[in-house]
Amino acid sequence: MATTVRRAVLTLPAAATGPENPLPALRPLDETHVIDDRDRVGLPRDMARRLGHAPLATVLPVRTLDGYGRERTPTDLDAIVIENDHLRVTVLPGLGGRIHSLVHKPAGRDLVYANPVLQPADFALNGAWFSGGIEWNIGATGHTTLSCAPVHAARVPAPDGGEMVRLWEWERLRDLPFQVDLWLPDDSAFLHVGVRIRNPHEQPAPVYWWSNTAVPEDEGTRVLAPADEAWHFGYERTLTRVPVPETGGTDRTYPLRSDYPADYFYEVPDGARRWIASLDEHGQGLVQTSTDLLRGRKLFLWGRGAGGRRWQEWLTEPGTGGYAEIQAGLARTQLEHIPLEPGGEFSWLESYGPLAADPATVHGTDWAAARTETERQLAAVLPRADVDAAYAAWRLCADTEPGERLATGSGWGALEVRRGRYKLPGTPFADSTLGEQQAPWLELLDQGTLPGPSGAAPPGPTLVSWHWRDMLETAPAEPLTEYHLGVAQWHAGDRAQAVRSWERGLATTASSRWPLLRCLAVAAQESGQRERAADLCTEAFDGLCADRGDGEAWAAATAALGREAIEALLTAGRTAAARTVWAGLLPEIRERGRFRLLKARLLIAEGRPEAARALFDAGFEVADLREGAEILEEVWEQLTDEPLPDMYNYRMRPRG
């Protein structure tokens, strides 16, 4: 059959991602994938330089997504299906353009781990993320902020005269447009993926990219790559060079032979073909290869320990089988960012498809022979020269304007294109996509004035790049303008000036003071002023409750600020005041798992450990438990010396 592209609906048990958190994300990233400066000594020079290149302090201007739960209901998801005789590819444009499944039709098997549920968890840079399939991570170290966001999608003529699907968006952490073209030639068993990232600005931009593929995992699964060494990164936050395949007496290329979750970034030699494969006990599975620009290859494994197993159940559901991740990126490791020159672009082509190799060799003790056999079979089904030729053919189509629109992303790209008057052939950001969140910023751009608050909801999101900060500085100094200006200054690292802007806003407003007070509370916390932070949080929460209307935005603001206030008051040792804030929370908020845990901490502070223990015994689930967080274990250890129950065990690193 000729390749077809069609719209479809995929129905999955899904937990809704919930509303955006209206409070600006002022705090430093709670990111586990960092290392101390002292640990960079002895690393390759280019790696050490890129490890320190333009790290993010916050996820501004993006808002966090932390309002999801664990209740899943059948949900219809818009999908795009690309299909020929060999493969059926299902894409979710409303969820970052994720490839949900990649079915090899002759074998009747999915080459990727297709999660049977959609369960958000706190793994993305801005919170909500879900596991499975193939995702496109751009922005900064971690899972992209677009994990649960829509992207633009359209049909585009393919190099072979057929059709391909273009996905594109404006990545807001780095202010960069990007595109992902999914091309399945008529008689091909390999999906080609053309990727392009452009820098339309007048200054260099730091770039991060990792394509992340979840693959089915069992005792016989082995991950192979053309490397004899790897950089091991565990949740102890250290980066060490280790041999492949065996480290510490264990063959780490079998994901289920490790005890704890870990990353292995393979040291692929210069000039070697870039590829990574996950093959089962029969020597069958998925291979990913690319043109040379995409140099990095990685295995992430959950391991066989209790914490890793618990996380897998949490992200999927018990009894559905586990998964590992094979990844490909622009740098050696995910801790690095690469500068992209003004007006420049990065582009490459990836290919995904089935692979079968001799199982005795693949699973033999001779690692060099296993690698050679895998690469030999890859060369037989997809020669390296064919990938290079496909890339050259795709590049001729990269600027082709899209045809029929299949999905619509955000309006932020349209706003930036209008501001910068950028010309971006192939990735149009139409004015028709501008919406309610962009409206005040469009007025600032066109009129020089930010419109006042509507009074119907908490303040909208803040734009923080220097272009918008300059416009805010020259706009009339209204309270809402001072609020947004302070957020932009905070993002730029000018924290003293941010505090002055928020204080000026307070001096000129008689209503809706709570957003400014909350920002000042965060500033006080970050500077170690516990008592002042507690005072400001309390005043901000009282003001929010006085202003609060109906709707999910107000409920989200109440939950977020209430949690911050209680934590600030407990830190300051003001237990009675924390209890007062607790009483001001909406009843449905107090029943959430995150707040059940917070209640346990409050009860401990009140000298009521038996009541706190009763909460654990009754059972609760913290839906937004952060990757690598150990708070459940820490609170449990304040209550008892008994072992932590399995349902609360999410430990991702050894003790000590």
Side-chain angles (χ1 to χ4, degrees):
M1 63 180 289
T3 299
T4 61
V5 174
R6 69 179 189 275
R7 290 175 172 168
V9 174
L10 177 67
T11 302
L12 290 177
T17 54
E20 293 179 333
N21 185 333
L23 307 186
L26 301 175
R27 288 185 170 81
L29 288 175
D30 182 16
E31 175 53 52
T32 58
H33 296 87
V34 295
I35 64 172
D36 294 333
D37 288 343
R38 64 177 180 273
D39 292 329
R40 297 177 188 174
V41 177
L43 297 178
R45 189 171 302 173
D46 62 334
M47 180 189 290
R49 182 174 63 252
R50 290 169 176 173
L51 286 173
H53 180 60
L56 283 182
T58 75
V59 296
L60 290 168
V62 178
R63 287 177 152 186
T64 55
L65 288 170
D66 56 8
Y68 48 86
R70 298 280 298 169
E71 181 179 349
R72 298 192 287 261
T73 58
T75 303
D76 290 341
L77 304 171
D78 289 336
I80 302 169
V81 176
I82 312 167
E83 186 171 9
N84 67 6
D85 282 332
H86 302 275
L87 293 178
R88 183 169 60 250
V89 188
T90 302
V91 186
L92 302 178
L95 294 164
R98 178 84 60 101
I99 292 179
H100 175 261
S101 65
L102 184 68
V103 175
H104 183 218
K105 294 167 65 175
R109 64 183 293 180
D110 210 321
L111 299 176
V112 303
Y113 176 79
N115 199 332
V117 303
L118 199 166
Q119 177 57 60
D122 194 4
F123 277 66
L125 287 164
N126 64 327
W129 171 85
F130 64 101
S131 64
I134 306 174
E135 62 176 313
W136 320 111
N137 289 308
I138 182 174
T141 301
H143 293 284
T144 177
T145 61
L146 293 165
S147 293
C148 293
V151 298
H152 303 282
R155 299 175 190 265
V156 181
D160 61 353
E163 287 186 322
M164 61 184 179
V165 173
R166 175 163 299 159
L167 310 170
W168 74 99
E169 246 305 348
W170 193 277
E171 200 288 309
R172 301 180 65 211
L173 296 181
R174 303 302 193 180
D175 263 340
L176 299 177
F178 72 98
Q179 71 189 77
V180 176
D181 288 356
L182 306 176
W183 171 30
L184 180 59
D186 284 351
D187 194 33
S188 175
F190 280 82
L191 173 71
H192 295 319
V193 181
V195 183
R196 177 166 63 167
I197 304 169
R198 288 186 276 193
N199 178 13
H201 306 297
E202 297 176 353
Q203 61 279 338
V207 171
Y208 171 93
W209 182 279
W210 282 80
S211 303
N212 180 3
T213 304
V215 290
E217 165 200 72
D218 58 31
E219 292 290 345
T221 300
R222 191 178 205 186
V223 172
L224 301 103
D228 293 314
E229 293 182 306
W231 295 93
H232 169 262
F233 182 84
Y235 285 78
E236 305 91 334
R237 300 188 177 187
T238 58
L239 188 65
T240 55
R241 198 164 190 160
V242 298
V244 176
E246 189 171 299
T247 304
T250 300
D251 189 333
R252 309 292 177 175
T253 62
Y254 290 89
L256 284 177
R257 295 186 184 178
S258 294
D259 291 326
Y260 290 95
D263 297 329
Y264 290 91
F265 299 100
Y266 294 111
E267 186 69 29
V268 179
D270 290 341
R273 185 174 184 180
R274 277 39 170 153
W275 61 269
I276 188 168
S278 173
L279 303 180
D280 64 15
E281 61 182 332
H282 305 294
Q284 298 178 352
L286 173 75
V287 65
Q288 186 270 3
T289 186
S290 72
T291 48
D292 288 353
L293 183 67
L294 203 67
R295 66 170 297 178
R297 292 298 185 274
K298 169 194 164 182
L299 162 65
F300 168 76
L301 53 87
W302 286 107
R304 63 190 175 192
R309 295 297 94 194
R310 177 60 176 145
W311 270 119
Q312 293 237 41
E313 293 177 353
W314 184 255
L315 294 167
T316 59
E317 59 182 13
T320 58
Y323 72 93
E325 293 174 356
I326 58 174
Q327 304 188 24
L330 283 172
R332 276 191 177 98
T333 74
Q334 289 177 327
L335 286 70
E336 303 167 67
H337 299 82
I338 300 175
L340 177 58
E341 293 305 308
E345 65 178 53
F346 290 142
S347 65
W348 64 91
L349 186 120
E350 309 177 39
S351 299
Y352 297 80
L355 191 71
D358 175 53
T361 306
V362 165
H363 295 288
T365 58
D366 187 335
W367 172 244
R371 286 194 293 116
T372 300
E373 164 64 8
T374 306
E375 187 159 354
R376 184 177 70 84
Q377 296 300 334
L378 172 59
V381 295
L382 186 66
R384 186 176 187 177
D386 286 5
V387 176
D388 291 338
Y391 169 70
W394 166 74
R395 278 300 282 120
L396 298 176
C397 301
D399 283 351
T400 302
E401 290 303 312
E404 179 193 356
R405 301 303 169 92
L406 300 172
T408 302
S410 77
W412 295 113
L415 183 66
E416 292 299 334
V417 166
R418 187 158 174 170
R419 181 200 57 76
R421 300 179 181 178
Y422 301 127
K423 303 298 183 183
L424 299 169
T427 55
F429 294 95
D431 282 353
S432 59
T433 62
L434 293 166
E436 182 180 355
Q437 288 192 332
Q438 292 82 42
W441 300 96
L442 189 59
E443 185 167 333
L444 177 64
L445 177 64
D446 292 342
Q447 306 296 329
T449 302
L450 199 68
S454 65
T462 303
L463 295 182
V464 297
S465 68
W466 69 267
H467 311 92
W468 296 104
R469 190 171 70 249
D470 284 353
M471 283 183 260
L472 289 168
E473 287 175 347
T474 57
E478 299 296 334
L480 184 60
T481 304
E482 296 288 5
Y483 162 81
H484 286 299
L485 175 58
V487 174
Q489 291 165 332
W490 182 272
H491 173 266
D494 192 351
R495 298 193 168 186
Q497 190 58 54
V499 168
R500 286 192 286 271
S501 295
W502 293 326
E503 289 176 340
R504 281 198 307 269
L506 277 180
T508 57
T509 185
S511 62
S512 294
R513 295 164 50 88
W514 68 265
L516 294 156
L517 290 165
R518 183 266 174 177
C519 290
L520 289 169
V522 173
Q525 285 176 315
E526 291 300 307
S527 60
Q529 302 176 65
R530 294 184 177 183
E531 292 294 334
R532 175 169 167 76
D535 289 340
L536 289 165
C537 272
T538 302
E539 188 178 354
F541 185 75
D542 290 344
L544 183 151
C545 291
D547 288 353
R548 187 170 62 205
D550 296 327
E552 63 178 16
W554 283 112
T558 303
L561 187 51
R563 174 183 168 186
E564 290 185 3
I566 292 171
E567 290 177 340
L569 289 162
L570 289 177
T571 300
R574 290 157 63 170
T575 308
R579 174 61 69 177
T580 299
V581 173
W582 173 268
L585 294 172
L586 300 170
E588 60 269 25
I589 292 174
R590 291 199 294 262
E591 290 303 311
R592 297 178 186 173
R594 169 63 65 180
F595 287 86
R596 301 274 287 177
L597 175 61
L598 192 55
K599 183 180 181 180
R601 295 171 57 194
L602 178 56
L603 289 167
I604 292 171
E606 291 173 333
R608 301 166 61 192
E610 298 84 0
R613 172 62 186 267
L615 287 175
F616 275 86
D617 291 343
F620 60 86
E621 296 181 320
V622 181
D624 60 332
L625 187 68
R626 184 66 174 166
E627 175 189 11
E630 298 174 359
I631 183 65
L632 285 166
E633 189 172 359
E634 292 166 2
V635 175
W636 176 261
E637 290 176 349
Q638 296 178 54
L639 299 173
T640 178
D641 293 330
E642 298 173 19
L644 183 70
D646 287 344
M647 70 175 294
Y648 300 120
N649 185 358
Y650 297 88
R651 174 165 281 276
M652 301 181 77
R653 59 175 180 164
R655 292 180 175 274

